[in-house]
Amino acid sequence: MRLRLATWNINSVRLRLDLVERFVRAEKPDVLCLQEIKCQEDQFPRAALEALGFPHIAVCGQKGYHGVATLSRIPFKRADRRDLCGRGQARYLAVALDGAAPGRKPLSCHNVYVPAGGDIPDPAINDKFQHKLDFLDAMTAWFGGYRAKGKNRMILVGDLNVAPLPTDVWSHKQLLKVVSHTPPETSRLEQVRAAHDWIDVMRRHVSPEQKLFTWWSYRNRDWRASNRGRRLDHVWATPALDGAAVAMRVLDQTRDWPRTSDHVPVIADFEID
Amino acid sequence: MRLRLATWNINSVRLRLDLVERFVRAEKPDVLCLQEIKCQEDQFPRAALEALGFPHIAVCGQKGYHGVATLSRIPFKRADRRDLCGRGQARYLAVALDGAAPGRKPLSCHNVYVPAGGDIPDPAINDKFQHKLDFLDAMTAWFGGYRAKGKNRMILVGDLNVAPLPTDVWSHKQLLKVVSHTPPETSRLEQVRAAHDWIDVMRRHVSPEQKLFTWWSYRNRDWRASNRGRRLDHVWATPALDGAAVAMRVLDQTRDWPRTSDHVPVIADFEID
DNA sequence: GCAGTAGTAG
DNA sequence: CTACTACTGC
């Protein structure tokens, strides 16, 4: 079957429910992973999103900040909300997409929101940066520990808050000392990736020599003209899914929608057997 | 000449500039008195309101709260910002409308925002209520002291935050202990009125037996059905203008406008010679 | 710049 | 319910 998966840091799902609806009606993803929902589970607009065609919804939320949710047209089980580095924050939600290929090999979807890391890239004086590095290390440990890692069919999506490649930022040189593109972050993200042999699906579809962004700050008034973006949102897949990712698109037109998120959605189409 | 004067507690002029424009284009007042502009003078949208046909603008503002402004199509002079009871708040602005009848008898317009008074109608335990009573007494002293009071042509408008008559509230009985309609307030407002022989222009046009409201709380979701309003906004004139107020209207349709103020405008037409 | 929080004010 | 003040976070 064809599976369309989308990820979007929505920056408050309650405030942008109308934009989620607009996006879903236009693109019809089968699975939609949201980050920064900024609400508790009981405040999540579940009914409206069910009505939009997602009967299966899992929410991992907290008050005011962070929070992730996975919406699905197809059934899933074992929604796993996990506090990966023990700070009591809602940043990781995994579901087993058993409805994607009933009776066949399992497929799981891991929705992640990595800490942004604050302003100063020094863990000694900025605990938020320390937390970000710790969280990335915890991801390495958690996913590295998955059994039979080479055979598992897994998709990891979300706002990883790191732009790993020089072409993932508008200026590699200017951003080397800016949180999201510093060597301690990019090297740790590479450790996360390598520990599980993750494939960077977006870069399978867009050459690493080409600039590719998913986030533009609200502070740039003309985001498209200045184009000071970063690729903070990612779609990864395990080697068992290599070749299954048949298409990928970054929906940057949503960045012009009224009162939108500073992140744009990323869509990946998988051909699952 | 015919002079159309309007008063409106706008509850943030910056947030509702579009509504002011809509009102002005529809009703074309010559003088518009705003209360609760909620900004300092340098934040006031002067250019936009000049472009709307008010070349003469006086602002008496403070940061965040209160504040009054008088906009005029016709020239005025001597804008008098006055702290009537010495608490450093922006609540009173008078202008001399010499352009209304050039070379003739003077005409002045006094724009007032009386303190709301808090929740508990007891000056001993609620200083905001004390302030309201003090402010009303200060108005009595200030206007009572105007020279040749019987001959002066003066108009006083604004949000006086008192509903003096039983028909100025939706339930006289239920509101007798609610700030805005308690005896200490209504008796003090009557002292203000009597000390200068002010005429209650609105009640010259609508019988005191008829309910008449200018404010409906945001908390009533269906304001028109429940109609739990109060007459907090007023238009007064000195006896020298008796008979000059040829028409009066309460613009309650604006209460249905999107994101509107909880107060509606009051328009009074004067035939000035 | 634009979310959320809390408190104050109306 | 809807303004404002601030603060925090991204």
Side-chain angles (χ1 to χ4, degrees):
Chain A
M1 74 172 290
R2 190 68 154 260
L3 181 77
R4 170 163 289 188
L5 193 143
T7 180
W8 195 5
N9 177 319
I10 194 61
N11 188 11
S12 175
V13 69
R14 287 177 294 175
L15 209 64
R16 295 192 224 287
L17 183 55
D18 57 333
L19 300 187
V20 174
E21 289 173 347
R22 183 173 171 184
F23 168 71
V24 168
R25 282 191 227 281
E27 301 296 339
K28 306 201 188 312
D30 300 299
V31 177
L32 173 58
C33 294
L34 298 174
Q35 301 87 38
E36 279 207 88
I37 59 171
K38 290 189 173 177
C39 66
Q40 291 167 297
E41 184 163 353
D42 61 358
Q43 302 169 317
F44 190 83
R46 180 179 291 269
L49 291 165
E50 281 173 359
L52 206 59
F54 297 114
H56 313 284
I57 295 179
V59 179
C60 171
Q62 66 178 80
K63 186 170 153 187
Y65 299 105
H66 325 311
V68 293
T70 300
L71 322 176
S72 180
R73 196 181 56 71
I74 61 178
F76 60 73
K77 60 185 175 189
R78 278 193 299 119
D80 181 16
R81 296 157 191 81
R82 192 167 290 270
D83 183 9
L84 286 181
C85 85
R87 297 220 185 188
Q89 296 187 349
R91 296 180 172 280
Y92 172 75
L93 171 63
V95 298
L97 284 169
D98 48 309
R104 306 294 300 275
K105 289 172 281 179
L107 173 68
S108 58
C109 170
H110 304 255
N111 183 356
V112 185
Y113 176 55
V114 171
D119 290 330
I120 302 155
D122 181 348
I125 59 174
N126 174 12
D127 184 60
K128 288 202 265 287
F129 194 72
Q130 180 69 61
H131 181 206
K132 183 176 194 171
L133 301 183
D134 290 347
F135 191 95
L136 290 167
D137 289 341
M139 282 177 73
T140 300
W142 172 246
F143 290 110
Y146 255 74
R147 77 187 156 80
K149 64 182 184 184
K151 293 178 191 166
N152 262 348
R153 303 199 302 181
M154 298 164 64
I155 300 169
L156 185 157
V157 301
D159 177 3
L160 305 186
N161 262 317
V162 179
L165 304 185
T167 49
D168 289 336
V169 293
W170 63 275
S171 166
H172 174 56
K173 186 160 172 252
Q174 287 188 254
L175 286 175
L176 268 172
K177 292 181 176 173
V178 173
V179 173
S180 72
H181 194 60
T182 66
E185 297 165 83
T186 54
S187 67
R188 266 182 187 75
L189 190 70
E190 171 55 19
Q191 284 171 19
V192 179
R193 196 206 58 72
H196 208 62
D197 302 327
W198 292 107
I199 294 159
D200 180 344
V201 170
M202 294 177 72
R203 284 303 183 183
R204 280 283 161 96
H205 288 87
V206 176
S207 155
E209 283 152 47
Q210 276 205 277
K211 283 197 184 338
L212 184 61
F213 309 147
T214 64
W215 174 88
W216 291 262
S217 170
Y218 283 126
R219 289 168 215 188
N220 296 324
R221 47 173 190 81
D222 193 344
W223 69 276
R224 208 185 275 279
S226 58
N227 198 29
R228 298 194 166 187
R230 305 180 201 171
R231 184 168 72 112
L232 303 179
D233 303 276
H234 297 266
V235 178
W236 287 358
T238 48
L241 285 167
D242 200 5
V246 294
M248 190 286 296
R249 278 182 300 143
V250 175
L251 277 280
D252 65 355
Q253 64 267 36
T254 68
R255 191 63 181 73
D256 280 322
W257 289 0
R259 302 182 62 247
T260 195
S261 172
D262 45 355
H263 295 252
V264 301
V266 180
I267 291 177
D269 291 324
F270 292 87
E271 191 60 47
I272 303 288
D273 51 49
Chain B
M1 73 172 291
R2 191 68 153 259
L3 182 77
R4 170 164 289 187
L5 192 142
T7 180
W8 196 5
N9 177 319
I10 193 62
N11 189 10
S12 176
V13 69
R14 287 176 294 175
L15 210 64
R16 295 192 226 285
L17 183 55
D18 57 333
L19 300 187
V20 174
E21 289 172 346
R22 182 173 172 185
F23 168 70
V24 168
R25 283 192 227 281
E27 300 296 339
K28 305 200 189 312
D30 300 299
V31 178
L32 173 57
C33 295
L34 299 174
Q35 300 87 38
E36 279 207 87
I37 60 171
K38 291 189 173 176
C39 67
Q40 292 167 297
E41 183 162 355
D42 61 358
Q43 302 169 316
F44 189 83
R46 179 179 291 269
L49 291 165
E50 282 173 357
L52 207 60
F54 297 114
H56 312 284
I57 294 179
V59 179
C60 170
Q62 67 178 79
K63 185 169 151 186
Y65 298 104
H66 325 311
V68 292
T70 300
L71 323 176
S72 180
R73 196 181 55 74
I74 60 179
F76 59 72
K77 59 186 177 190
R78 279 191 300 120
D80 182 16
R81 295 157 190 81
R82 193 166 289 270
D83 182 7
L84 285 180
C85 84
R87 297 219 186 188
Q89 296 187 349
R91 296 180 172 280
Y92 172 76
L93 171 63
V95 298
L97 284 169
D98 48 309
R104 306 294 301 274
K105 288 172 280 180
L107 174 68
S108 58
C109 170
H110 304 256
N111 183 356
V112 185
Y113 176 55
V114 171
D119 290 331
I120 302 155
D122 180 348
I125 59 173
N126 173 10
D127 184 59
K128 288 203 267 288
F129 195 71
Q130 180 69 62
H131 180 206
K132 183 176 194 173
L133 301 182
D134 290 348
F135 191 95
L136 291 166
D137 288 341
M139 282 177 72
T140 300
W142 172 247
F143 289 111
Y146 255 73
R147 79 187 155 80
K149 65 183 184 182
K151 293 178 190 168
N152 263 349
R153 303 199 304 181
M154 298 163 64
I155 299 169
L156 184 158
V157 301
D159 177 2
L160 305 186
N161 264 316
V162 179
L165 305 185
T167 50
D168 289 337
V169 292
W170 63 275
S171 166
H172 173 57
K173 186 161 172 249
Q174 288 188 254
L175 286 174
L176 268 172
K177 291 179 176 175
V178 173
V179 173
S180 71
H181 194 59
T182 66
E185 296 166 83
T186 53
S187 68
R188 267 183 186 76
L189 190 70
E190 171 56 18
Q191 284 171 20
V192 180
R193 195 206 58 72
H196 207 63
D197 302 327
W198 291 106
I199 295 158
D200 180 345
V201 170
M202 294 177 73
R203 283 304 184 184
R204 279 284 160 97
H205 288 86
V206 176
S207 155
E209 283 153 46
Q210 277 206 278
K211 282 195 183 344
L212 185 60
F213 308 147
T214 64
W215 173 88
W216 291 263
S217 170
Y218 283 125
R219 288 168 217 189
N220 297 324
R221 48 173 191 81
D222 193 343
W223 69 277
R224 207 185 277 279
S226 58
N227 198 27
R228 298 194 167 187
R230 307 180 200 170
R231 184 168 72 114
L232 303 179
D233 303 276
H234 297 267
V235 178
W236 287 359
T238 48
L241 284 167
D242 200 4
V246 294
M248 189 286 297
R249 277 182 302 142
V250 175
L251 277 279
D252 64 355
Q253 64 266 35
T254 68
R255 192 63 181 74
D256 280 321
W257 290 0
R259 301 181 62 246
T260 194
S261 172
D262 44 354
H263 294 252
V264 301
V266 180
I267 290 176
D269 291 324
F270 292 87
E271 191 60 47
I272 304 288
D273 51 48

